[in-house]
Amino acid sequence: MGRKFFVGGNWKMNGDKAMIDGIVAFLNQSGNTDNVDVVVAPPAPYLVYVKEQLKSSVEVAAQNCYKVPKGAFTGEISPAMVKDLGLKWVILGHSERRHVFGESDCLIADKTVHAIESGLDVVFCIGEKLEEREAGHTKNVNFRQLQAIVDRKVNWDKIVIAYEPVWAIGTGKTASPEQAQEVHAWIREFLKEKVSADVAEKVRIIYGGSVTAENCVELGKKPDIDGFLVGGASLKPDFVKIINARN
């Protein structure tokens, strides 16, 4: 396959300097991670603090950015600002942005296009809610969210897709390895049909939703699961076990 394993840690709105010092310490002691892309996303005020302390093999991402380079958008940060800090990754389309903050597919697509044009790589999140899965709409929801960037002819070399079923985020419920693999395979087939066979083969599709040190190895064995986007577990030393799920 040739797709390099990718493990992201989304710290969400958690942490202070004391807590971050502890996280940085176990990440800096995590050993050789040459065969894994490791990217952590601290809250915006701590981006520089984390970058300055982390070993260079662990990259730092912003959790969000807006669709224009500058202007009267109080509280927002731009891709240009993220790049100015020496960072190259941003997470966009996370379910909390979609469902807590009401971001539409169109807005997320606008932000994704602008981030890529500004030189950032994007972890692009998709996923269905519990009621959508139970109603049999898993494919429709994920394909609709993806179609928004397919329509914009994005550069797929700059995108990692994160499939995060909303019903599994922070709930302790995890999609079984079989459930996750099924959706990842659907996504790859969708890309093959809508974009190209080459993109479908090359793009990394990672899983997020209550990933733990206990379930990561079985999830990581599936052929279309190319890594993880981890929430709460990325704040704990067990995150290192997740980074090494395929070692």
Side-chain angles (χ1 to χ4, degrees), residues 8-29:
N10 178 12
W11 298 1
K12 307 190 181 184
M13 197 174 71
N14 293 298
D16 52 26
K17 284 187 177 180
M19 179 177 171
I20 287 168
D21 288 347
I23 298 171
V24 166
F26 70 66
L27 285 172
N28 283 345
Q29 295 165 12

Side-chain angles (χ1 to χ4, degrees), residues 67 92-94 97-99 101-112 124-125 144-145 148-149:
K67 65 179 181 178
L92 294 173
H94 192 279
R97 301 303 312 178
R98 293 179 187 272
H99 303 303
F101 298 100
E103 294 188 2
S104 66
D105 294 346
C106 182
L107 174 59
I108 294 161
D110 286 346
K111 297 203 304 187
T112 301
F124 183 83
C125 303
R144 186 200 77 227
Q145 292 171 353
I149 57 170

Side-chain angles (χ1 to χ4, degrees), residues 3-247:
R3 294 186 298 268
K4 190 175 183 182
F5 209 60
F6 181 105
V7 178
N10 178 12
W11 298 1
K12 307 190 181 184
M13 197 174 71
N14 293 298
D16 52 26
K17 284 187 177 180
M19 179 177 171
I20 287 168
D21 288 347
I23 298 171
V24 166
F26 70 66
L27 285 172
N28 283 345
Q29 295 165 12
S30 59
N32 185 347
T33 55
D34 289 348
N35 60 340
V36 187
D37 283 334
V38 183
V39 181
V40 295
Y46 298 110
L47 286 169
V48 171
Y49 185 74
V50 173
K51 184 182 189 310
E52 287 175 344
Q53 295 188 77
L54 267 181
K55 61 183 181 181
S56 60
S57 59
V58 180
E59 296 199 67
V60 179
Q63 295 180 12
N64 185 36
C65 63
Y66 198 49
K67 65 179 181 178
V68 294
K70 60 183 178 180
F73 302 101
T74 301
E76 291 290 341
I77 61 174
S78 71
M81 294 171 181
V82 177
K83 276 212 75 176
D84 194 40
L85 298 179
L87 311 179
K88 71 170 215 176
W89 285 97
V90 65
I91 299 170
L92 294 173
H94 192 279
S95 66
E96 289 152 15
R97 301 303 312 178
R98 293 179 187 272
H99 303 303
V100 178
F101 298 100
E103 294 188 2
S104 66
D105 294 346
C106 182
L107 174 59
I108 294 161
D110 286 346
K111 297 203 304 187
T112 301
V113 168
H114 181 59
I116 291 171
E117 288 176 346
S118 301
L120 296 183
D121 288 2
V122 175
V123 177
F124 183 83
C125 303
I126 59 175
E128 79 282 1
K129 294 188 283 190
L130 181 60
E131 57 267 31
E132 292 166 334
R133 172 169 275 270
E134 290 178 341
H137 295 156
T138 297
K139 270 188 181 180
N140 293 344
V141 171
N142 286 285
F143 292 177
R144 186 200 77 227
Q145 292 171 353
L146 271 175
Q147 189 68 50
I149 57 170
V150 169
D151 290 342
R152 301 294 295 274
K153 305 288 193 293
V154 292
N155 178 358
W156 291 94
D157 291 338
K158 306 283 285 180
I159 290 178
V160 170
I161 297 170
Y163 167 60
E164 296 197 302
V166 182
W167 49 272
I169 298 174
T171 62
K173 296 180 181 177
T174 312
S176 69
E178 293 71 28
Q179 285 174 316
Q181 165 59 26
E182 179 181 49
V183 179
H184 283 228
W186 287 344
I187 293 166
R188 218 172 284 288
E189 194 58 36
F190 175 85
L191 292 172
K192 184 178 179 181
E193 178 186 336
K194 299 290 185 179
V195 186
S196 73
D198 184 57
V199 165
E201 178 60 29
K202 286 182 178 177
V203 74
R204 290 179 289 184
I205 308 171
I206 63 177
Y207 171 76
S210 299
V211 177
T212 66
E214 286 69 44
N215 61 28
C216 64
V217 173
E218 289 305 310
L219 284 162
K221 287 178 181 176
K222 294 299 181 183
D224 290 302
I225 297 178
D226 303 315
F228 308 110
L229 184 57
V230 184
S234 69
L235 305 171
K236 303 170 185 174
D238 271 358
F239 185 53
V240 175
K241 295 179 182 176
I242 299 172
I243 291 170
N244 293 314
R246 279 213 178 146
N247 290 343

